[in-house]
Coordinates of all heavy atoms in Angstrom, one line a residue:
K1 N 0.9 -1.2 0.0 CA 0.0 0.0 0.0 C 0.9 1.2 0.0 O 0.6 2.2 -0.8 CB -0.9 0.0 1.2 CG -2.1 -1.0 1.1 CD -2.9 -0.9 2.4 CE -4.1 -1.9 2.3 NZ -4.9 -1.9 3.5
R2 N 1.9 1.3 0.9 CA 2.8 2.4 0.9 C 3.5 2.6 -0.4 O 3.7 3.7 -0.9 CB 3.8 2.2 2.0 CG 3.4 2.7 3.4 CD 4.5 2.8 4.4 NE 5.3 1.7 4.5 CZ 5.1 0.6 5.3 NH1 4.0 0.7 6.2 NH2 5.8 -0.4 5.4
E3 N 4.0 1.4 -1.0 CA 4.7 1.6 -2.3 C 3.7 2.1 -3.4 O 4.2 2.9 -4.2 CB 5.2 0.2 -2.7 CG 6.4 -0.3 -2.0 CD 6.9 -1.6 -2.5 OE1 6.1 -2.5 -2.9 OE2 8.2 -1.8 -2.4
L4 N 2.5 1.7 -3.4 CA 1.5 2.2 -4.3 C 1.4 3.7 -4.2 O 1.3 4.4 -5.2 CB 0.2 1.5 -4.2 CG -0.9 2.0 -5.2 CD1 -0.7 1.5 -6.6 CD2 -2.3 1.5 -4.7
I5 N 1.3 4.1 -3.0 CA 1.1 5.6 -2.7 C 2.4 6.4 -3.2 O 2.2 7.4 -3.8 CB 0.8 5.9 -1.3 CG1 -0.6 5.3 -0.9 CG2 1.0 7.3 -0.9 CD1 -0.9 5.2 0.6
E6 N 3.5 5.8 -2.9 CA 4.8 6.4 -3.4 C 4.8 6.5 -4.9 O 5.2 7.5 -5.5 CB 6.0 5.7 -2.8 CG 6.2 5.9 -1.4 CD 7.3 5.0 -0.8 OE1 8.2 4.6 -1.6 OE2 7.3 4.8 0.4
C7 N 4.4 5.4 -5.6 CA 4.4 5.4 -7.1 C 3.4 6.4 -7.6 O 3.7 7.1 -8.6 CB 4.0 4.0 -7.6 SG 5.3 2.8 -7.4
A8 N 2.2 6.6 -6.9 CA 1.2 7.5 -7.4 C 1.8 9.0 -7.2 O 1.6 9.8 -8.1 CB 0.0 7.4 -6.5
R9 N 2.6 9.2 -6.2 CA 3.2 10.5 -6.0 C 4.3 10.7 -7.1 O 4.3 11.8 -7.6 CB 3.9 10.6 -4.7 CG 2.9 10.9 -3.5 CD 3.7 11.3 -2.3 NE 2.8 11.2 -1.2 CZ 2.9 10.4 -0.1 NH1 4.0 9.6 0.0 NH2 2.0 10.4 0.8
A10 N 5.0 9.7 -7.4 CA 6.0 9.9 -8.5 C 5.4 10.1 -9.8 O 5.9 11.0 -10.6 CB 6.8 8.6 -8.5
V11 N 4.2 9.5 -10.1 CA 3.6 9.7 -11.4 C 3.0 11.2 -11.4 O 3.2 11.8 -12.4 CB 2.4 8.7 -11.6 CG1 1.4 9.2 -12.7 CG2 3.0 7.3 -11.9
T12 N 2.5 11.6 -10.3 CA 2.1 13.1 -10.2 C 3.2 14.0 -10.6 O 3.0 15.0 -11.3 CB 1.5 13.4 -8.8 OG1 0.4 12.4 -8.6 CG2 1.0 14.8 -8.7
E13 N 4.4 13.8 -9.9 CA 5.5 14.6 -10.3 C 5.9 14.6 -11.7 O 6.2 15.6 -12.3 CB 6.7 14.2 -9.4 CG 6.5 14.5 -7.9 CD 7.7 14.0 -7.0 OE1 8.7 13.6 -7.6 OE2 7.4 13.9 -5.8
K14 N 5.9 13.3 -12.3 CA 6.3 13.2 -13.7 C 5.3 13.9 -14.6 O 5.7 14.3 -15.7 CB 6.5 11.7 -14.0 CG 7.7 11.1 -13.3 CD 7.9 9.6 -13.5 CE 8.9 9.0 -12.7 NZ 10.2 9.5 -12.7
V15 N 4.0 13.8 -14.3 CA 3.0 14.5 -15.1 C 3.3 16.0 -15.1 O 3.2 16.7 -16.2 CB 1.6 14.2 -14.5 CG1 0.5 15.2 -15.1 CG2 1.2 12.8 -14.8
S16 N 3.6 16.6 -13.9 CA 3.9 18.0 -13.9 C 5.1 18.3 -14.8 O 5.2 19.4 -15.4 CB 4.1 18.5 -12.5 OG 5.2 18.0 -11.9
L17 N 6.2 17.5 -14.8 CA 7.3 17.7 -15.6 C 6.9 17.6 -17.1 O 7.4 18.4 -17.9 CB 8.4 16.6 -15.3 CG 9.0 16.8 -13.9 CD1 10.0 15.6 -13.7 CD2 9.8 18.1 -13.8
V18 N 6.1 16.7 -17.5 CA 5.7 16.6 -18.9 C 4.9 17.9 -19.2 O 5.2 18.4 -20.3 CB 4.8 15.3 -19.1 CG1 4.1 15.4 -20.5 CG2 5.6 14.1 -19.0
L19 N 4.0 18.3 -18.4 CA 3.3 19.5 -18.7 C 4.2 20.8 -18.8 O 3.9 21.5 -19.7 CB 2.2 19.8 -17.5 CG 1.0 19.0 -17.6 CD1 0.2 19.2 -16.3 CD2 0.1 19.4 -18.8
S20 N 5.1 20.8 -18.0 CA 6.1 22.0 -18.1 C 6.9 21.9 -19.4 O 7.1 23.0 -20.0 CB 7.0 22.1 -16.9 OG 7.9 21.0 -16.8
A21 N 7.3 20.7 -19.8 CA 8.0 20.7 -21.1 C 7.1 20.9 -22.3 O 7.5 21.7 -23.2 CB 8.5 19.2 -21.2
L22 N 5.9 20.5 -22.2 CA 4.9 20.8 -23.2 C 4.6 22.3 -23.3 O 4.5 22.9 -24.4 CB 3.6 20.1 -23.1 CG 3.6 18.5 -23.4 CD1 2.4 17.9 -22.9 CD2 3.9 18.3 -24.8
Q23 N 4.4 23.0 -22.2 CA 4.2 24.4 -22.2 C 5.4 25.2 -22.7 O 5.2 26.2 -23.3 CB 3.8 24.8 -20.7 CG 2.4 24.3 -20.4 CD 2.1 24.5 -18.9 OE1 2.9 24.7 -18.1 NE2 0.7 24.3 -18.5
A24 N 6.6 24.7 -22.4 CA 7.8 25.5 -22.8 C 7.8 25.4 -24.4 O 8.3 26.3 -25.0 CB 9.0 24.8 -22.2
G25 N 7.4 24.3 -24.9 CA 7.4 24.1 -26.4 C 6.2 24.7 -27.1 O 6.3 24.8 -28.3
N26 N 5.2 25.1 -26.3 CA 4.0 25.7 -26.9 C 3.6 27.0 -26.5 O 2.4 27.3 -26.4 CB 2.9 24.7 -26.8 CG 3.1 23.4 -27.4 OD1 3.4 23.4 -28.5 ND2 2.8 22.3 -26.8
K27 N 4.6 27.9 -26.2 CA 4.3 29.2 -25.7 C 3.5 30.0 -26.7 O 2.4 30.6 -26.4 CB 5.5 30.0 -25.3 CG 6.2 29.4 -24.1 CD 7.4 30.2 -23.6 CE 8.0 29.6 -22.4 NZ 9.1 30.2 -22.0
G28 N 3.9 29.9 -28.0 CA 3.1 30.6 -29.0 C 1.8 30.0 -29.2 O 0.8 30.8 -29.4
T29 N 1.7 28.7 -29.2 CA 0.3 28.1 -29.3 C -0.6 28.5 -28.2 O -1.8 28.7 -28.4 CB 0.5 26.5 -29.3 OG1 1.4 26.2 -30.3 CG2 -0.8 25.8 -29.4
Q30 N -0.1 28.5 -26.9 CA -0.9 28.9 -25.9 C -1.4 30.3 -26.0 O -2.6 30.6 -25.6 CB -0.1 28.7 -24.5 CG -1.0 28.9 -23.3 CD -2.2 27.9 -23.2 OE1 -2.0 26.8 -23.4 NE2 -3.4 28.5 -23.0
A31 N -0.5 31.2 -26.5 CA -0.9 32.6 -26.7 C -2.1 32.7 -27.7 O -3.0 33.4 -27.6 CB 0.3 33.4 -27.2
C32 N -2.0 31.9 -28.8 CA -3.0 31.8 -29.8 C -4.3 31.3 -29.2 O -5.4 31.8 -29.5 CB -2.6 30.9 -30.9 SG -1.3 31.7 -31.9
I33 N -4.3 30.2 -28.3 CA -5.4 29.7 -27.7 C -6.1 30.7 -26.8 O -7.3 30.9 -26.8 CB -5.1 28.4 -26.9 CG1 -4.7 27.3 -27.9 CG2 -6.2 28.0 -26.0 CD1 -4.1 26.1 -27.2
T34 N -5.3 31.5 -26.1 CA -5.9 32.5 -25.2 C -6.5 33.6 -26.0 O -7.6 34.0 -25.7 CB -4.7 33.1 -24.3 OG1 -4.1 32.0 -23.6 CG2 -5.3 34.1 -23.3
A35 N -5.9 34.0 -27.1 CA -6.4 35.1 -27.9 C -7.7 34.5 -28.6 O -8.7 35.3 -28.6 CB -5.4 35.5 -29.0
A36 N -7.7 33.3 -29.0 CA -9.0 32.8 -29.7 C -10.1 32.7 -28.7 O -11.2 32.9 -29.0 CB -8.6 31.4 -30.3
S37 N -9.7 32.3 -27.5 CA -10.7 32.3 -26.5 C -11.4 33.6 -26.2 O -12.6 33.8 -26.0 CB -10.2 31.7 -25.2 OG -11.2 31.6 -24.1
A38 N -10.5 34.7 -26.1 CA -11.0 36.0 -25.8 C -11.9 36.5 -27.0 O -12.9 37.1 -26.8 CB -9.8 37.0 -25.7
V39 N -11.4 36.2 -28.2 CA -12.2 36.6 -29.4 C -13.6 35.9 -29.4 O -14.6 36.5 -29.7 CB -11.5 36.3 -30.7 CG1 -12.3 36.5 -32.0 CG2 -10.3 37.3 -30.8
S40 N -13.6 34.6 -29.0 CA -14.8 33.8 -29.0 C -15.8 34.5 -28.0 O -17.0 34.5 -28.2 CB -14.6 32.4 -28.7 OG -13.9 31.7 -29.6
G41 N -15.2 34.9 -26.8 CA -16.1 35.5 -25.8 C -16.7 36.8 -26.3 O -17.8 37.1 -26.1
I42 N -15.9 37.6 -27.1 CA -16.4 38.9 -27.6 C -17.5 38.6 -28.6 O -18.5 39.3 -28.7 CB -15.2 39.7 -28.2 CG1 -14.3 40.2 -27.1 CG2 -15.7 40.9 -29.1 CD1 -13.0 40.7 -27.6
I43 N -17.3 37.6 -29.5 CA -18.2 37.3 -30.6 C -19.5 36.8 -29.9 O -20.6 37.2 -30.3 CB -17.7 36.2 -31.5 CG1 -16.6 36.8 -32.4 CG2 -18.8 35.6 -32.3 CD1 -15.8 35.7 -33.2

């Protein structure tokens, strides 16, 4: 049970590392998504 909990924590940490790598590679994409969302709200 303890090992399962430790593995779950490790997966959580690795997910955050993947997210940060994806966000670093998609800064321009994220800016476009944010702008598109704002334009959709205005429309």
